[in-house]
Amino acid sequence: MEKHFKTKPINENDSWSLNFLYKNPIGRFILKGLIQPPLTKVAGAYLNSSLSKAMINPFIQKNELQMDEYEPMVYRSFNHFFMREIKPEVRVLSQEKTVLSAPCDGKVTVYPISADQTFKIKRSEYALSELLDSTSLAQEWQGGCAVIFRLTPDDYHHYYYIDEGTILAQQEIAGVFHTVQPIAVHNEPVFSRNAREVTIIETNHFGKIAQIEVGALMVGKIKNLKNSGGCQRFEKKGWFEFGGSTVILLFQENQVTIDPDIWSNTENNLETIVKFGQIVGKKAGGQA
């Protein structure tokens, strides 16, 4: 497997504004208004307008984006820029089908799915049945693992299928948008309240999996390209519009072996930094 992973402390992105919104009583009152659908629609309309283009260059500079990695184009709006396409040659995609490649850019943690249907994500416990909106479905993943990819503004915000397979079901679960930054996870049940989409896939090499996309504060819109039929390894599944976002992969017991460095980093309160296509595991019992 690929080694030499970079890491970052899970709490590194906590900011003054997030502390205010989530820990200050006045801030939490303001947040209740910010996350309501009418305001998110207004914000979305602005980010889709030409007026928002003024945000692009400051965003590039603040996040130190390497724009030579992306397809050159003229952006119509900030949201158009946020959904920018990366050059295919920038991401290395393994042709070995028994290895698990990251479905997106992100900061990764991994957790066992416990018998009591809860698991930890960045210092908080979440019921798997609440995340999936189904108690019976949650039972199918007991003993498996949850791999969490937290996307930040500097990441490429498109995500892909990890294997060939068949889409068995897809569900959209409504919710209010909360930031997925770590401080929010500590103070709010973020993954159970955010809007999310759950796709159940019967894969050729990793058994039945669930791939979950979670929206974020303000617009955080999830755009999946299809909800049925077959899928191919490294086929684009969809993308996020503006807002930090999260992709979660659920694996059933004895189906996958996640790189031990990622397990170790998570246990040491570190996120592992990966790019789309980077090897993060392998089929259980397989070679990588």
Side-chain angles (χ1 to χ4, degrees), residues 258-284:
I258 301 301
D259 191 295
D261 286 352
I262 297 177
W263 281 106
S264 177
N265 289 339
T266 302
E267 291 169 0
N268 286 293
N269 206 39
L270 296 171
E271 294 176 310
T272 303
I273 300 171
V274 301
K275 299 296 185 182
F276 163 55
Q278 189 167 358
I279 297 172
V280 295
K282 63 182 180 180
K283 175 181 171 62

Side-chain angles (χ1 to χ4, degrees), residues 14-276:
D14 288 358
S15 66
W16 177 89
S17 59
L18 287 172
N19 273 288
F20 174 72
L21 287 173
Y22 281 90
K23 292 187 175 182
N24 182 287
I26 297 175
R28 290 172 69 89
F29 177 78
I30 294 172
L31 181 63
K32 289 180 181 179
L34 289 177
I35 62 180
Q36 298 307 312
L39 188 55
T40 64
K41 289 181 180 179
V42 171
Y46 172 74
L47 293 171
N48 280 317
S49 75
S50 60
L51 296 174
S52 65
K53 289 192 293 184
M55 299 171 58
I56 295 175
N57 286 334
F59 186 90
I60 291 172
Q61 294 172 11
K62 178 181 178 181
N63 293 286
E64 299 180 347
L65 300 183
Q66 302 299 314
M67 292 307 296
D68 58 345
E69 296 184 352
Y70 295 90
E71 299 285 2
M73 64 188 318
V74 176
Y75 298 108
R76 301 186 302 271
S77 65
F78 183 81
N79 213 6
H80 185 215
F81 158 75
F82 194 80
M83 297 182 286
R84 61 196 178 276
E85 292 277 1
I86 205 162
K87 295 177 180 177
E89 64 270 18
V90 172
R91 298 291 184 261
V92 178
L93 306 180
S94 172
Q95 299 305 305
E96 175 53 60
K97 293 186 177 182
T98 60
V99 301
L100 173 64
S101 295
C104 58
D105 289 4
K107 285 68 181 173
V108 182
T109 50
V110 58
Y111 302 92
I113 299 174
S114 64
D116 61 359
Q117 300 182 8
T118 64
F119 57 96
K120 291 185 178 181
I121 302 175
K122 306 181 185 75
R123 301 172 295 168
S124 296
E125 281 195 343
Y126 296 91
L128 186 59
S129 57
E130 188 175 33
L131 182 64
L132 294 170
D133 198 31
S134 170
T135 300
S136 60
L137 193 60
Q139 292 286 352
E140 298 186 35
W141 274 271
Q142 296 308 308
C145 66
V147 189
I148 318 299
F149 298 82
R150 186 177 67 88
L151 286 72
T152 53
D154 55 303
D155 289 321
Y156 170 54
H157 271 66
H158 297 235
Y159 47 86
Y160 295 75
Y161 292 100
I162 62 165
D163 195 16
E164 298 174 10
T166 302
I167 299 171
L168 302 179
Q170 184 166 7
Q171 180 184 7
E172 297 181 13
I173 303 172
V176 294
F177 292 110
H178 274 283
T179 178
V180 293
Q181 296 219 34
I183 187 173
V185 181
H186 182 65
N187 289 277
E188 293 283 340
V190 175
F191 289 89
S192 64
R193 294 186 66 189
N194 281 26
R196 55 207 182 277
E197 294 196 17
V198 178
T199 307
I200 308 300
I201 307 167
E202 186 66 51
T203 69
N204 287 6
H205 298 94
F206 301 100
K208 183 189 286 188
I209 71 163
Q211 182 164 335
I212 307 166
E213 294 87 35
V214 184
L217 183 67
M218 300 300 284
V219 290
K221 187 176 180 181
I222 303 163
K223 176 62 177 178
N224 278 311
L225 295 173
K226 61 183 180 182
N227 56 21
S228 63
C231 60
Q232 299 297 316
R233 188 165 184 255
F234 299 136
E235 176 188 352
K236 184 174 292 185
K237 187 176 188 295
W239 59 83
F240 293 105
E241 296 187 5
F242 178 67
S245 309
T246 299
V247 173
I248 303 172
L249 294 177
L250 302 182
F251 294 95
Q252 296 182 335
E253 189 173 11
N254 299 324
Q255 291 293 335
V256 69
T257 300
I258 301 301
D259 191 295
D261 286 352
I262 297 177
W263 281 106
S264 177
N265 289 339
T266 302
E267 291 169 0
N268 286 293
N269 206 39
L270 296 171
E271 294 176 310
T272 303
I273 300 171
V274 301
K275 299 296 185 182
F276 163 55

